[in-house]
Amino acid sequence: MSASNARRPWVGKSFASFVLLPFCALMAFPFVWMLLTSLREPNTIFNGPIIPRSFTGSAYKEAWTSIEFPLHFWNSVWITSVTVIGVLVFATLSGYAFAKLEFPFRNTLFVLLLTTLMMPSTALIIPLYLELKSLGLLDSQVGLLVLYISGSAPFAMFLMRAFFQTLPDELIEAARVDGGSEFTIFRRVILPLTRPGIATVVIFQFLSTWNEFLIANTVLRNTDALPLQPVLFTLMGQYSTNWPALTAGLTLSVVPVIVVYVRMQRQFVAGMMLGAVKN
């Protein structure tokens, strides 16, 4: 290999880094601004330098106590966790069935499930509200979980079906010949091979549920039952906003999202790249 050919990968990577660095900085700027705003004095929000001359953590204490942050943070944690687990159960089972099993009207049922993705959630707020009221689940976290899981399962099922279709049918046939039941094959053979797909569903579902605002604010009227995002919105006043307290609460709310993504980023990237290279 000549010296000029050896330099080409290095030049290409350097050029890509030069192009991508401004975009990375642009994407990171809102988070940096939010963090710095939460640490500055209230009277220097819009008339002071970007980097504060002095830092204070009083906004975090105010956000922690003024909106009962621990209570609503825990509400978000358990609602999001149950939603992610419920969606995973339905998505993996139905995705495997639609990808690898033969049953009547399989394609028709799959298309019907996909049509639910075409309806925006805002258009379904009133019917869902009335349905929960008739079932006695209005103003209940159980009712909110029913809406979250049922509304998110079709898209997650669509993703998992695509991952299951990448697995060879010969692997399933060999397990059946060895006498494994369908559920045993699914649990011990197929499911471990779809960890990238599961990580992708977990990240997407965690983000959408953790940051959801409209449905939770509509269904739950009991303030103590609200998750974190609707409560953080109350820090915004009609005529004035306590920006340090608001950004402090938002910064704390971002921490679980970062933790989940960092823990699963490798599997997530593998899932996004799945199918880019064919055998």
Side-chain angles (χ1 to χ4, degrees), residues 49-50 102 118 139 150-151 170 173 180 184 214 228 253-254 269 273:
I50 295 179
E102 295 290 340
M118 303 177 186
D139 196 22
S150 61
E170 291 79 5
E173 294 298 332
T184 301
L214 180 62
L228 188 58
S253 71
V254 168
V269 173
M273 295 297 294

Side-chain angles (χ1 to χ4, degrees), residues 148-195:
Y148 280 169
I149 295 175
S150 61
S152 303
F155 177 69
M157 176 269 298
F158 172 76
L159 289 179
M160 290 306 303
R161 176 180 178 269
F163 281 100
F164 285 125
Q165 285 181 325
T166 63
L167 301 179
D169 294 335
E170 291 79 5
L171 189 65
I172 300 175
E173 294 298 332
R176 287 171 180 167
V177 170
D178 290 339
S181 64
E182 206 64 50
F183 184 74
T184 301
I185 296 172
F186 168 76
R187 182 169 61 89
R188 295 188 176 181
V189 179
I190 301 301
L191 205 57
L193 298 177
T194 57
R195 285 183 295 179

Side-chain angles (χ1 to χ4, degrees), residues 142-243:
V142 175
L144 184 64
L145 288 172
V146 170
L147 295 186
Y148 280 169
I149 295 175
S150 61
S152 303
F155 177 69
M157 176 269 298
F158 172 76
L159 289 179
M160 290 306 303
R161 176 180 178 269
F163 281 100
F164 285 125
Q165 285 181 325
T166 63
L167 301 179
D169 294 335
E170 291 79 5
L171 189 65
I172 300 175
E173 294 298 332
R176 287 171 180 167
V177 170
D178 290 339
S181 64
E182 206 64 50
F183 184 74
T184 301
I185 296 172
F186 168 76
R187 182 169 61 89
R188 295 188 176 181
V189 179
I190 301 301
L191 205 57
L193 298 177
T194 57
R195 285 183 295 179
I198 292 174
T200 302
V201 171
V202 168
I203 290 177
F204 276 119
Q205 190 58 51
F206 188 93
L207 287 175
S208 62
T209 306
W210 185 267
N211 294 320
E212 204 284 320
F213 170 83
L214 180 62
I215 296 177
N217 202 40
T218 303
V219 171
L220 298 177
R221 292 174 291 182
N222 181 10
T223 305
D224 291 340
L226 284 172
L228 188 58
Q229 299 303 326
V231 177
L232 287 175
F233 183 75
T234 61
L235 292 174
M236 297 186 63
Q238 183 177 1
Y239 302 106
S240 64
T241 300
N242 188 341
W243 288 104

Side-chain angles (χ1 to χ4, degrees), residues 25-275:
L26 185 63
M27 294 296 103
F29 177 76
F31 177 77
V32 174
W33 179 88
M34 180 177 67
L35 179 61
L36 293 176
T37 302
S38 68
L39 295 172
R40 67 168 69 239
E41 298 291 342
N43 58 350
T44 63
I45 298 298
F46 298 110
N47 57 7
I50 295 179
I51 300 178
R53 295 187 179 92
S54 61
F55 296 91
T56 175
S58 59
Y60 287 89
K61 182 179 179 180
E62 184 176 355
W64 189 268
T65 57
S66 62
I67 59 172
E68 297 184 81
F69 190 93
L71 171 64
H72 301 290
F73 184 86
W74 168 247
N75 288 341
S76 288
V77 167
W78 96 267
I79 289 174
T80 303
S81 300
V82 174
T83 301
V84 170
I85 294 173
V87 168
L88 274 180
V89 170
F90 285 108
T92 52
L93 291 173
S94 58
Y96 175 75
F98 281 117
K100 297 300 183 181
L101 301 181
E102 295 290 340
F103 54 90
F105 308 108
R106 183 181 68 171
N107 293 331
T108 303
L109 291 173
F110 180 69
V111 172
L112 288 176
L113 285 173
L114 289 185
T115 56
T116 62
L117 301 178
M118 303 177 186
M119 293 293 294
S121 58
T122 52
L124 301 174
I125 285 293
I126 295 178
L128 292 175
Y129 182 90
L130 297 176
E131 189 67 24
L132 286 181
K133 185 177 181 180
S134 65
L135 295 174
L137 295 177
L138 192 63
D139 196 22
S140 166
Q141 290 181 342
V142 175
L144 184 64
L145 288 172
V146 170
L147 295 186
Y148 280 169
I149 295 175
S150 61
S152 303
F155 177 69
M157 176 269 298
F158 172 76
L159 289 179
M160 290 306 303
R161 176 180 178 269
F163 281 100
F164 285 125
Q165 285 181 325
T166 63
L167 301 179
D169 294 335
E170 291 79 5
L171 189 65
I172 300 175
E173 294 298 332
R176 287 171 180 167
V177 170
D178 290 339
S181 64
E182 206 64 50
F183 184 74
T184 301
I185 296 172
F186 168 76
R187 182 169 61 89
R188 295 188 176 181
V189 179
I190 301 301
L191 205 57
L193 298 177
T194 57
R195 285 183 295 179
I198 292 174
T200 302
V201 171
V202 168
I203 290 177
F204 276 119
Q205 190 58 51
F206 188 93
L207 287 175
S208 62
T209 306
W210 185 267
N211 294 320
E212 204 284 320
F213 170 83
L214 180 62
I215 296 177
N217 202 40
T218 303
V219 171
L220 298 177
R221 292 174 291 182
N222 181 10
T223 305
D224 291 340
L226 284 172
L228 188 58
Q229 299 303 326
V231 177
L232 287 175
F233 183 75
T234 61
L235 292 174
M236 297 186 63
Q238 183 177 1
Y239 302 106
S240 64
T241 300
N242 188 341
W243 288 104
L246 176 61
T247 53
L250 291 173
T251 302
L252 292 174
S253 71
V254 168
V255 173
V257 177
I258 296 176
V259 171
V260 170
Y261 184 78
V262 169
R263 288 295 300 269
M264 296 191 171
Q265 63 174 335
R266 185 172 299 178
Q267 294 291 340
F268 175 73
V269 173
M272 297 298 289
M273 295 297 294
L274 190 63

Side-chain angles (χ1 to χ4, degrees), residues 5-31:
N5 291 334
R7 293 194 192 97
R8 287 177 184 174
W10 180 85
V11 173
K13 291 180 180 179
S14 300
F15 179 75
S17 300
F18 177 77
V19 173
L20 293 176
L21 277 176
F23 289 98
C24 294
L26 185 63
M27 294 296 103
F29 177 76
F31 177 77

